[in-house]
Amino acid sequence: MQHLKGKIKGEAERLIHHLTISSDNYDTAWEILTHRYNNPQILFTKHIEILLNQANISKQTSFDIKKLHDVSMECIHAIHNLGIDTTTWDPLLVHILSKKLDHLTYAAYMEARKDPRSLPALDEFMGFLESKFTALEPISRKERVVTTEKVSQHHISKPSSSNSFRFMSTGRPSINIYSHNNTGHNKIDKPYQKPFFQAVTTKTYKCPQCNQDHDLFKCNQFIDLSPKSKLATVTKLNICPNCLYKHDTNCFSTKRCKECNSEHNTMLHDAFPIKRSPQMNNKNFAKSADKRYSANYVANNDEMLLTTIQMQVLSSDGSYVTLRALLDQGSQITMITESAVQLLGLPREHLNASVAGIGESPNQSRGKVLLDCKSLRNDYEFVAEALIMPRKIVRNLPTTSFDISNFHHLKNLPLADPDYNT
C-alpha cells in the first residue's frame, strides 16, 4: 500500500487519498483504481488514435523514420497486450503506415520488397524502416558537423586586446569570433586572402557570491543564506531578483515565482511577505486608496471563490489535454488563450472580433477555434466555439494558494476543480 501510494499522483492519488496505509486497505485501493482506469475501450481508442494520427514525413531523415517506427511498434504492442489479436492486421497496418512515408522512402520500400505482388507483412516493413534510419544516422551526423563548421565561419568581427563578451537578455556571455591577418590588423585588404578564425574567449559565467564557475542559484553559499540575507546579497551585488543575473536593462525572463507568481525568484519568496491589505503593493491589487475587491480567494469578507473547472480538450494528435477554465455565467462568449491553442495544435479560422470588459480597452482576437471537450469524471461531452485571445483572459485564480486542510465538508467529493485552492 505504501509503494502504491508513492507511485501515483494527480487524480489517481486523490481517488485513494482517504484510505490509510494498511494491508487491509490495499485490495480496496486496487479495486478503485482498476474500476476507474482499466477501461479496454478507452485504452484501445487512445492507442489507435496515436497510431493513425502520426504526422506524415515530408523529408527523408533518420529522426522522422525512427519516430514512425518506434511509435508504431509501441502502439501495436500496447493493443496486443489488451488481448486483441493483431496478427491479421499486417496488410492494413502496412498500407496506413506506408502512406506516411515521403516519396523517396516509399519508393525504396517498394524496391526492397521480396515479393511485390503478395500482401505486405508488418515485420518486413518494420525491418525496412529500421535498416533505413540506421543507414541515415551517420549521414545526419555528418550534415550537422558540416553545418556547425559553416556557421562558426560565417561572421567576421573586430578584434580586441582584452576578453570581449556579448551579453544577452539573461546576462550570460557568448563567444565572439574574430579574424586576424598576419599583420595583426583587423581589415582584410584583399578578398582572396584566406582569413584565420579564432574564438577570443571561452570564459564562463562567474558566480558573484563566491567567484566560482557556476550560476548564482547553484551557489551553495547563496543557498545556505536566510531569505533576508539572500535578498540583501542580491541588492548589494545589483543582481536582478527575478532571473538572478546582472543586467542593465529590464528583465526579459518570463519565469516567475512558483509560490506566488510574482516577479521575483522562488529562492527569494520568503523574503517578500504577502501583506493582505487593500493597499498591497502588488499588480493584482489597486494602489493607494482606490480599493478594489478581488473575487477569487477565500481570505477575508471582501473576497470569494469563482467557479473554476478542469476538463479534457481534444488536441490535434487525437490525445486529450487537461485545461483549467473559469465558468463565467455572465459571459456572452467563450474565450481561450493563444498559448492554450498552440498547446492543443488545433487549426484556427480567421475572424475579426474585439472583446472588452467593464472599464477595459478592447482586445483584438486572433481568430476562433472549435473545441471538443469532455468531463474528467464521466462521459459528458460538448463542443464549444471559442475566440482566441493573445493575453491572459483572467488573472490568477485564486490570487494566492491557501490551506484547505480544515475544509472537512469538501473532502472525498468529486469536485469539478480539485485544485481550486491553488
Side-chain angles (χ1 to χ4, degrees), residues 199-258:
V200 172
T201 179
T202 56
K203 189 175 182 180
T204 57
Y205 182 78
K206 291 290 186 180
C207 173
Q209 174 73 9
C210 63
N211 204 33
Q212 299 295 318
D213 293 338
H214 56 243
D215 299 303
L216 179 61
F217 56 84
K218 296 180 181 179
C219 179
N220 292 329
Q221 293 184 16
F222 182 75
I223 295 174
D224 293 337
L225 294 175
S226 65
K228 291 186 178 180
S229 299
K230 290 178 183 176
L231 182 60
T233 301
V234 167
T235 305
K236 179 181 178 181
L237 298 175
N238 197 23
I239 302 295
C240 174
N242 187 45
C243 66
L244 295 185
Y245 288 103
K246 183 180 293 186
H247 52 76
D248 297 329
T249 59
N250 294 331
C251 184
F252 292 97
S253 176
T254 58
K255 295 184 178 180
R256 296 293 181 265
C257 176
K258 296 179 181 179

Side-chain angles (χ1 to χ4, degrees), residues 41 52 113 120 213 218 222 224-225 265 279 362 373 379 383 414:
Q41 191 274 330
L52 298 178
R113 287 203 59 192
D213 293 338
K218 296 180 181 179
F222 182 75
D224 293 337
L225 294 175
N265 194 276
Q279 289 81 24
C373 312
D379 296 333
V383 178

Side-chain angles (χ1 to χ4, degrees), residues 28-63:
T28 303
W30 187 254
E31 183 180 353
I32 292 174
L33 294 174
T34 303
H35 178 73
R36 172 62 62 87
Y37 297 110
N38 189 22
N39 189 328
Q41 191 274 330
I42 293 179
L43 295 175
F44 173 78
T45 302
K46 176 73 173 179
H47 294 308
I48 203 69
E49 284 180 347
I50 295 175
L51 178 69
L52 298 178
N53 293 328
Q54 294 183 85
N56 294 334
I57 299 176
S58 58
K59 184 181 179 182
Q60 188 184 70
T61 62
S62 60
F63 174 81

Side-chain angles (χ1 to χ4, degrees), residues 279-421:
Q279 289 81 24
M280 280 187 67
N281 185 19
N282 190 298
K283 290 186 176 181
N284 292 334
F285 292 82
K287 294 182 179 180
S288 67
D290 184 16
K291 182 177 179 182
R292 296 181 182 179
Y293 295 95
S294 174
N296 51 36
Y297 171 51
V298 179
N300 53 48
N301 295 331
D302 296 336
E303 298 176 312
M304 60 180 291
L305 282 173
L306 292 180
T307 309
T308 55
I309 63 173
Q310 292 185 32
M311 59 184 179
Q312 290 186 306
V313 184
L314 186 66
S315 64
S316 59
D317 62 0
S319 61
Y320 281 92
V321 178
T322 301
L323 297 181
R324 199 180 193 194
L326 168 66
L327 191 61
D328 185 2
Q329 293 90 343
S331 178
Q332 296 175 314
I333 57 174
T334 298
M335 295 178 288
I336 185 171
T337 59
E338 173 71 30
S339 58
V341 174
Q342 293 185 8
L343 176 65
L344 297 170
L346 297 176
R348 67 186 68 196
E349 183 179 341
H350 180 70
L351 176 68
N352 286 324
S354 295
V355 181
I358 300 176
E360 295 182 355
S361 58
N363 292 324
Q364 192 71 23
S365 71
R366 295 184 176 178
K368 64 179 180 178
V369 67
L370 199 63
L371 304 176
D372 290 311
C373 312
K374 72 174 184 178
S375 169
L376 293 176
R377 303 190 177 277
N378 52 48
D379 296 333
Y380 175 69
E381 298 181 358
F382 66 94
V383 178
E385 189 176 70
L387 295 180
I388 305 171
M389 306 307 297
R391 296 190 296 273
K392 275 188 175 183
I393 299 173
V394 293
R395 294 175 180 173
N396 290 333
L397 298 179
T399 305
T400 308
S401 299
F402 57 93
D403 183 30
I404 59 173
S405 58
N406 58 337
F407 291 0
H408 302 292
H409 58 292
L410 297 181
K411 289 185 177 180
N412 304 326
L413 291 179
L415 301 177
D417 185 4
D419 301 322
Y420 65 94
N421 65 307

Side-chain angles (χ1 to χ4, degrees), residues 50-158:
I50 295 175
L51 178 69
L52 298 178
N53 293 328
Q54 294 183 85
N56 294 334
I57 299 176
S58 58
K59 184 181 179 182
Q60 188 184 70
T61 62
S62 60
F63 174 81
D64 291 333
I65 297 176
K66 181 189 291 185
K67 183 178 179 182
L68 178 66
H69 173 277
D70 294 346
V71 173
S72 300
M73 292 300 296
E74 180 181 351
C75 294
I76 293 169
H77 287 154
I79 293 173
H80 180 75
N81 291 336
L82 292 175
I84 300 173
D85 185 13
T86 60
T87 55
T88 60
W89 292 15
D90 284 19
L92 180 61
L93 291 175
V94 173
H95 174 76
I96 294 172
L97 297 177
S98 63
K99 291 296 183 182
K100 299 183 180 296
L101 299 175
D102 61 284
H103 296 301
L104 290 177
T105 309
Y106 180 76
Y109 165 66
M110 297 305 295
E111 293 176 357
R113 287 203 59 192
K114 298 178 180 178
D115 186 3
R117 297 175 62 88
S118 63
L119 291 175
L122 184 62
D123 290 341
E124 181 186 28
F125 179 75
M126 289 301 176
F128 164 78
L129 293 183
E130 185 173 6
S131 62
K132 196 66 178 176
F133 70 70
T134 303
L136 289 174
E137 280 180 340
I139 301 176
S140 300
R141 285 196 294 267
K142 185 176 181 180
E143 288 177 349
R144 288 196 294 268
V145 172
V146 173
T147 303
T148 304
E149 291 177 351
K150 289 182 178 180
V151 170
S152 65
Q153 298 180 0
H154 184 65
H155 292 290
I156 301 174
S157 304
K158 184 178 179 180

